[in-house]
Amino acid sequence: TKEVVEAAAGNHESGIGVMKLLLKHRGDDVMITDQVVEAAAGNAGSSRGVMELLLQHCGDDVMITEGMVWIIARSFHCNVMALLLNLRGDGVKITKEVVEAAAGNSGSGAEVMELLLDCRGDEVKITKEVVEAAAGNSGSGREVMELLLDYGGDDATITDEVVVAAAGNCWTGMEVMELLLDRRGDDVTITDQVVKAAAGNSGIATVIELLLDRRGDEFKITEEVIKTAAGNSGSGRRVMELLLDRREDEVMITEEVIKTAAGNSGWGREVMELLLDRRGDEVKITKEVVEAAAGNSGRGREVMRLLLN
């Protein structure tokens, strides 16, 4: 059945051996569906070998669908795409969805994108969606973005959405943003949404620091930005500390900010402690703040203890 073929294709340890047996004894029943391709592409141990067996055995009868190519473009194993292009050539359609999938591939996006550009560059359209996918790529964002900028030139449009995606990218956002500022600084507009995305970035707070360092005179620290920082469950304390250190006069400690900090399930206690230490006279413990702490499923007890003391 197709379920058996799919299971064999995804078998990390013995996928090739099992697939050989299936093809030898039940070859006519083996059909390559999108699900089988997805299983083979995700096979950490033998993805290329399994795919090669399927393509060679079933030959030209296998219809390489756009869905299959899309699955392979987002696979962590770039050698599967190389195999597909080598064996099926012009039968592989490089659609905008395929290019977008490669751009957002956090495991092997740079390798897949480079392969597509080298082998089928005339079909690779660098749309705004592709650039946005690269900006938000949490594993190889910088490398993919660099390829797009090098190859696409002015076609690689830096929209507001691209900058927001980079600002909110919690793993490679700083490297992507730095590249954009270095290479296309005039096209990078620091909007309120960009600053909010950076303030809410749950990584190690390097994006907001980069923006403060290089473009700080272009944006204001609004209440929405402060609330976003207060609620940042990954690096809220560090972001709030940066804002207080660098732009303290603009940091308004409103009830909404305090409620958000009290409800922060990751860094609620630390953010609240920082606010009390630095701006204690402005921290009003209202009924709503206590309710937010009581409803905090992560650090509620610690926040409540801090408020009561």
Side-chain angles (χ1 to χ4, degrees), residues 197-219:
N201 189 317
S202 60
I204 55 175
T206 50
V207 177
I208 190 69
E209 189 168 14
L210 177 68
L211 294 181
L212 288 167
D213 285 343
R214 296 187 54 172
R215 304 289 284 272
D217 58 341
E218 298 177 25
F219 59 86

Side-chain angles (χ1 to χ4, degrees), residues 171-230:
W171 292 106
T172 62
M174 200 278 267
E175 291 84 0
V176 174
M177 185 67 77
E178 193 169 38
L179 178 67
L180 293 178
L181 291 173
D182 287 344
R183 296 278 298 270
R184 300 286 290 277
D186 291 343
D187 298 327
V188 176
T189 303
I190 309 301
T191 64
D192 287 345
Q193 290 302 312
V194 170
V195 183
K196 279 182 61 179
N201 189 317
S202 60
I204 55 175
T206 50
V207 177
I208 190 69
E209 189 168 14
L210 177 68
L211 294 181
L212 288 167
D213 285 343
R214 296 187 54 172
R215 304 289 284 272
D217 58 341
E218 298 177 25
F219 59 86
K220 304 292 184 185
I221 306 301
T222 65
E223 182 183 10
E224 285 301 311
V225 169
I226 302 163
K227 280 175 56 180
T228 302

Side-chain angles (χ1 to χ4, degrees), residues 220-231 239-240 242-261 271 275-276 278-284:
K220 304 292 184 185
I221 306 301
T222 65
E223 182 183 10
E224 285 301 311
V225 169
I226 302 163
K227 280 175 56 180
T228 302
V239 175
M240 187 65 76
L242 276 169
L243 296 179
L244 288 170
D245 287 345
R246 306 282 289 275
R247 305 286 283 273
E248 185 163 16
D249 291 345
E250 296 177 60
V251 177
M252 307 300 292
I253 309 301
T254 65
E255 183 180 16
E256 288 300 313
V257 169
I258 302 165
K259 282 168 54 180
T260 303
V271 173
L275 294 178
L276 288 169
R278 299 279 293 267
R279 304 283 283 274
D281 57 333
E282 299 172 46
V283 178
K284 309 301 182 186

Side-chain angles (χ1 to χ4, degrees), residues 25-240:
H25 296 287
R26 301 294 296 275
D28 292 340
D29 296 329
V30 174
M31 298 183 63
I32 303 182
T33 64
D34 285 0
Q35 290 74 26
V36 171
V37 172
E38 184 169 15
N43 187 325
S46 53
S47 57
R48 181 186 172 96
V50 171
M51 187 65 70
E52 191 167 19
L53 275 173
L54 291 172
L55 290 172
Q56 289 180 342
H57 175 82
C58 300
D60 294 337
D61 292 335
V62 177
M63 180 67 69
I64 304 299
T65 67
E66 291 180 8
M68 289 181 183
V69 183
W70 180 84
I71 289 167
I72 291 170
R74 62 197 290 267
S75 164
F76 277 24
H77 309 289
C78 64
N79 55 12
V80 179
M81 179 63 79
L83 173 72
L84 190 64
L85 291 172
N86 182 51
L87 293 182
R88 299 303 293 269
D90 293 339
V92 180
K93 302 302 180 186
I94 309 302
T95 64
K96 63 180 182 179
E97 290 80 12
V98 167
V99 181
E100 189 176 338
N105 183 331
S106 62
S108 60
E111 292 85 354
V112 174
M113 184 63 72
E114 189 168 25
L115 184 65
L116 293 179
L117 290 170
D118 286 345
C119 298
R120 305 286 285 277
D122 57 332
E123 297 175 48
V124 175
K125 306 302 180 186
I126 300 178
T127 65
K128 62 182 181 180
E129 290 81 11
V130 168
V131 183
E132 186 177 344
N137 185 322
S138 61
S140 54
R142 189 191 191 286
E143 293 81 2
V144 175
M145 184 65 75
E146 193 164 24
L147 282 169
L148 298 180
L149 295 176
D150 286 345
Y151 180 85
D154 292 339
D155 288 339
T157 306
I158 310 304
T159 64
D160 289 348
E161 291 78 11
V162 167
V163 186
V164 169
N169 182 333
C170 63
W171 292 106
T172 62
M174 200 278 267
E175 291 84 0
V176 174
M177 185 67 77
E178 193 169 38
L179 178 67
L180 293 178
L181 291 173
D182 287 344
R183 296 278 298 270
R184 300 286 290 277
D186 291 343
D187 298 327
V188 176
T189 303
I190 309 301
T191 64
D192 287 345
Q193 290 302 312
V194 170
V195 183
K196 279 182 61 179
N201 189 317
S202 60
I204 55 175
T206 50
V207 177
I208 190 69
E209 189 168 14
L210 177 68
L211 294 181
L212 288 167
D213 285 343
R214 296 187 54 172
R215 304 289 284 272
D217 58 341
E218 298 177 25
F219 59 86
K220 304 292 184 185
I221 306 301
T222 65
E223 182 183 10
E224 285 301 311
V225 169
I226 302 163
K227 280 175 56 180
T228 302
N232 184 328
S233 61
S235 57
R237 188 188 192 286
R238 176 57 182 151
V239 175
M240 187 65 76

